[in-house]
Amino acid sequence: MKKNLLLVLFTVLIFTSMVNGQIVPPPVPPPPPGLPVDGGLIVLLLSGIIYGVKKIKK
């Protein structure tokens, strides 16, 4: 009986030390903020079209 109790106690201690001994990875940093490309691209595209139309008419 005493041998079984010691075996159970030893097993429990080994498993709990294994769980506590694991290295916790550092938290993942948040992704960088997204840059708004949509508005700038539309303005750039429209200005390029207007400039091209003016050059062609000239």
Side-chain angles (χ1 to χ4, degrees):
M1 181 74 174
K2 191 172 184 181
K3 190 174 183 178
N4 286 342
L5 181 64
L6 285 175
L7 182 64
V8 169
L9 181 64
F10 179 73
T11 307
V12 167
L13 287 175
I14 291 295
F15 280 120
T16 56
S17 66
M18 283 175 39
V19 169
N20 291 333
Q22 292 179 353
I23 298 174
V24 178
V28 178
L35 299 176
V37 179
D38 223 12
L41 268 178
I42 292 173
V43 170
L44 187 64
L45 184 67
L46 287 176
S47 63
I49 290 173
I50 292 171
Y51 180 74
V53 168
K54 282 186 178 182
K55 276 293 209 181
I56 290 175
K57 283 189 177 181
K58 198 176 182 186

